[in-house]
Amino acid sequence: MKQIKNHFILILALTSLLICAGCITDEPAVKTTAVEIPEDMNQAFEDLSNDIASIGHNTLSEMTDIAKDVGVMNTHDDITHYLSDYYSQNPGLTAIVFSDALHGGYISVPVMLDIDLSDYSKQLTEQDFKDSNGLIIRTNVFTKYHGYINIYYKPVYTKDGEYHGYLAFVTDFYSMLYLADNLGTKRSYGNYVCFVTDSGNNILYSSINEASANVIPKESGYFDRTVYIPDVKSEKGACQYTSRELYIYNPSVKTEKITAWRQYYYGNGKYHTIYLVKELNQPELNYENASALNAEDMIYDVRDAFNYASVYGKEKCIKHINSGYYDSLMFVVDMKGNVIAASKGRTGENYMNNRGVYGYSYMQAAVNTAEQGGGYIYYTVPVERTVFPRAAIYTIGVIMPIDNSCFIYGVITGAADAIEIDYNMRPDITTLSRALVKDASVMGIDYVISTITDNGKNAAEIFAPNLTTDISDIAVLDMDGKLYASVVYPELAGDSVTGLGGLYGGSFTRLSLMLAKAGSGFMTYMLPNEDKEGYVDLYLAMVQPINDEYYTFASVLVNSFEDLLTPVLDNVKLVE
């Protein structure tokens, strides 16, 4: 009975898992040999399933407690402060929404302004919860600014037993596991590529941060050119095979791999499958063979495809790119992240949840850039995608909209030395951002502004004492783009900074405003390196709204890179 209960908890947790979509190539099926599941992979299965079950159990347990506490509160202010405090201590949560059936209206933490709350809050009734035994879960819910997320709903009752409404926990399980400091750092399954699929072969979760809301194609057997997923019928097993890898520095390497799987049944003939992929002879990275796509050639190809679409129409441009005409890595993507053309690889994938190594949704940034008329995005990706990434390289996306429904997306990968990933960057700026919001709520916005103004960079230690990352900027702005405090730009306090631009044009302040009004998010921006000519600095930032008037901005320096675009843009413009 205990085992059945644990499996039920596991399934509740697994239904909330998501990932982001990656490329799948047209490769012939590989030859596989059945093998026993290695003991280290057996241990990894146990650790991963236990952690997933634990996160799911804790989420549901805490939702129950929070629902009880909210039910006895009398005012929206009391509920808002209570939910804000919980939110500040749980960075894996994307948002919390309370729908008040007694008094009407919503409470959202963080505050969400320029979005439709119906994305996050489905109109539910007390009877809906009675029919579902008190819990409703929606998975793969697409939202404009947060991609594909999952939502848990729990009913709220007053102390007299009257139906008060419901709580909605908006979750991103990838973030929850990442921020729990488990994946890739301390747990045994961090040594493997991890997948969780449902009975329809839909990927619910993966440790590869480029791959979500996808279906693994059974006819190919390849996922992201590195993983062979067999069409298995047995509850558990393993197979060994030879795979051609996607090493950026070693593009023709072949290695031996093992894919192992276990199925977890939860009744009615349905099941989840956990896959682990082990590489037996992972080669050393060979930097001598490093090669980068030429930035000038990429911009030329993107412009050429744009001109082709202008002359011959969108549909012919899609066929043109799909034919393999261009050597550059180029896609046509719609505004929901669906790939409808690709110069290399397979179309039909959804890339909206594609993440850089710090969890930044760069495809969402590409969509936002296309809506603004085109330009560039910047991020870092793993050097290789076979195991949980330990190294990353700087990448630029070149964006040109074809029309208001889709855009051309080209990729420039730098050949600079790989950087070592700092796993504390994302958790630290998340913790700091939420501490700023919490202190603004409890102590007042003036306290946050004066603390930043009086202490500069040292203010980070005051707001969040246990950070391990060197924070670059802490700022407070209003929803009109006026700056009130900043570590980096203290002299601009009191001024509108909507024109504060990054490298290669565009305003990173406007991007932060968009994220604040959408209810928080991560972004990257780039500035010239002040000490080394010909180099640029890439920053990762988190934006959190305090209320409907102010928001916070916290950033860290990811690394400095050789400037790939300035020499090119002096001679070649994206749009002439």
Side-chain angles (χ1 to χ4, degrees):
M1 188 69 186
K2 182 178 180 181
Q3 186 178 15
I4 294 174
K5 181 180 179 181
N6 287 339
H7 283 175
F8 178 68
I9 293 173
L10 171 65
I11 297 312
L12 287 177
L14 290 177
T15 54
S16 74
L17 308 181
L18 275 187
I19 58 164
C20 28
C23 295
I24 299 176
T25 57
D26 295 312
E27 294 283 348
V30 297
K31 293 182 179 180
T32 62
T33 303
V35 295
E36 292 292 323
I37 302 178
E39 186 55 37
D40 57 341
M41 298 186 83
N42 270 320
Q43 182 61 52
F45 276 122
E46 295 299 324
D47 287 343
L48 177 58
S49 59
N50 288 339
D51 280 346
I52 291 172
S54 175
I55 290 174
H57 174 75
N58 291 340
T59 299
L60 299 179
S61 176
E62 291 179 14
M63 279 194 79
T64 301
D65 292 339
I66 291 171
K68 290 179 181 178
D69 291 343
V70 168
V72 300
M73 293 180 182
N74 297 319
T75 69
H76 276 198
D77 282 345
D78 289 342
I79 296 173
T80 299
H81 289 148
Y82 176 78
L83 294 180
S84 296
D85 184 62
Y86 178 80
Y87 173 76
S88 70
Q89 299 176 49
N90 291 271
L93 278 174
T94 300
I96 308 174
V97 178
F98 173 62
S99 174
D100 192 338
L102 286 181
H103 306 101
Y106 292 97
I107 295 172
S108 63
V109 178
V111 176
M112 301 179 192
L113 301 177
D114 287 355
I115 66 166
D116 181 359
L117 273 176
S118 62
D119 279 349
Y120 301 86
S121 295
K122 185 178 181 182
Q123 290 297 327
L124 300 171
T125 66
E126 182 181 12
Q127 188 60 46
D128 291 328
F129 289 104
K130 289 180 178 179
D131 294 341
S132 62
N133 295 317
L135 177 70
I136 296 173
I137 300 176
R138 296 171 67 201
T139 60
N140 288 14
V141 180
F142 178 78
T143 60
K144 181 175 181 181
Y145 292 107
H146 289 123
Y148 287 92
I149 47 86
N150 309 283
I151 309 176
Y152 290 77
Y153 298 93
K154 192 78 175 176
V156 175
Y157 293 89
T158 67
K159 60 183 177 181
D160 298 323
E162 184 179 7
Y163 179 66
H164 195 178
Y166 57 84
L167 283 171
F169 271 28
V170 182
T171 63
D172 173 357
F173 196 86
Y174 175 88
S175 294
M176 294 173 77
L177 199 56
Y178 183 97
L179 293 170
D181 200 27
N182 286 333
L183 184 61
T185 56
K186 293 183 178 179
R187 305 297 284 173
S188 62
Y189 52 82
N191 297 321
Y192 309 104
V193 173
C194 308
F195 295 97
V196 179
T197 68
D198 64 14
S199 54
N201 232 26
N202 298 289
I203 303 169
L204 301 174
Y205 168 75
S206 171
S207 61
I208 294 180
N209 30 5
E210 293 189 354
S212 203
N214 258 344
V215 177
I216 297 176
K218 295 179 179 179
E219 72 277 6
S220 171
Y222 272 88
F223 177 75
D224 200 21
R225 284 180 276 191
T226 68
V227 176
Y228 178 77
I229 305 293
D231 182 13
V232 297
K233 304 234 183 323
S234 58
E235 291 188 21
K236 62 181 181 178
C239 61
Q240 185 169 336
Y241 54 96
T242 301
S243 172
R244 183 175 71 81
E245 302 302 352
L246 181 59
Y247 285 98
I248 293 175
Y249 290 98
N250 308 70
S252 61
V253 166
K254 291 185 178 181
T255 63
E256 290 298 312
K257 287 190 138 83
I258 292 176
T259 293
W261 65 91
R262 282 192 184 181
Q263 293 178 354
Y264 294 84
Y265 288 86
Y266 61 100
N268 299 324
K270 297 180 180 180
Y271 59 89
H272 285 89
T273 305
I274 295 180
Y275 295 96
L276 296 178
V277 183
K278 177 179 183 178
E279 189 170 25
L280 300 180
N281 56 334
Q282 180 179 338
E284 294 293 325
L285 297 176
N286 182 359
Y287 296 99
E288 292 180 0
N289 292 335
S291 61
L293 295 170
N294 184 286
E296 185 173 346
D297 289 346
M298 169 57 72
I299 293 175
Y300 176 86
D301 285 349
V302 170
R303 283 177 48 198
D304 185 77
F306 173 81
N307 292 332
Y308 193 96
S310 300
V311 174
Y312 298 106
K314 176 174 66 177
E315 296 304 323
K316 287 191 175 181
C317 177
I318 290 171
K319 292 181 179 179
H320 190 53
I321 292 175
N322 278 333
S323 71
Y325 178 82
Y326 297 102
D327 292 331
S328 299
L329 183 60
M330 186 189 310
F331 307 89
V332 176
V333 185
D334 70 17
M335 295 306 183
K336 288 190 175 182
N338 297 303
V339 177
I340 53 181
S343 62
K344 301 174 183 179
R346 178 177 292 182
T347 61
E349 305 303 317
N350 185 284
Y351 284 15
M352 186 55 79
N353 278 3
N354 274 26
R355 306 169 189 261
V357 294
Y358 296 106
Y360 170 63
S361 300
Y362 58 83
M363 185 54 68
Q364 181 62 66
V367 171
N368 298 338
T369 302
E371 290 178 341
Q372 298 300 315
Y376 306 94
I377 60 172
Y378 333 104
Y379 52 99
T380 51
V381 293
V383 170
E384 51 86 9
R385 304 170 192 177
T386 350
V387 296
F388 191 80
R390 297 176 307 281
I393 53 174
Y394 159 48
T395 305
I396 298 174
V398 185
I399 314 298
M400 286 195 76
I402 294 178
D403 55 25
N404 60 6
S405 69
C406 64
F407 57 93
I408 301 169
Y409 173 49
V411 179
I412 300 169
T413 302
D417 288 345
I419 64 169
E420 184 177 352
I421 297 169
D422 181 349
Y423 290 104
N424 291 319
M425 279 188 179
R426 176 182 164 124
D428 277 355
I429 61 171
T430 302
T431 299
L432 174 59
S433 296
R434 297 191 179 188
L436 291 167
V437 175
K438 179 182 177 182
D439 283 359
S441 174
V442 175
M443 308 290 290
I445 184 67
D446 289 339
Y447 165 77
V448 174
I449 292 173
S450 63
T451 302
I452 297 171
T453 302
D454 295 342
N455 297 278
K457 188 176 289 190
N458 293 331
E461 298 178 6
I462 298 174
F463 294 116
N466 297 319
L467 301 180
T468 62
T469 305
D470 185 19
I471 302 299
S472 299
D473 196 10
I474 314 170
V476 175
L477 302 93
D478 67 18
M479 295 298 177
D480 293 321
K482 181 179 178 180
L483 183 69
Y484 288 81
S486 169
V487 171
V488 176
Y489 302 104
E491 72 281 2
L492 297 180
D495 296 341
S496 173
V497 291
T498 53
L500 199 60
L503 214 57
Y504 318 133
S507 166
F508 62 82
T509 305
R510 291 184 184 276
L511 177 57
S512 70
L513 272 167
M514 178 201 69
L515 290 176
K517 293 179 179 180
S520 83
F522 291 95
M523 58 176 279
T524 56
Y525 62 100
M526 188 165 284
L527 297 173
N529 184 289
E530 295 182 354
D531 301 319
K532 196 173 182 180
E533 186 176 355
Y535 276 71
V536 293
D537 295 333
L538 177 67
Y539 294 87
L540 174 69
M542 188 174 192
V543 174
Q544 289 270 336
I546 295 172
N547 48 36
D548 59 1
E549 185 177 357
Y550 300 99
Y551 70 94
T552 67
F553 177 95
S555 68
V556 294
L557 174 65
V558 173
N559 214 304
S560 299
F561 302 92
E562 185 177 359
D563 187 353
L564 299 178
L565 278 189
T566 297
V568 173
L569 296 180
D570 287 341
N571 302 306
V572 181
K573 302 298 181 184
L574 186 58
V575 179
E576 301 224 348

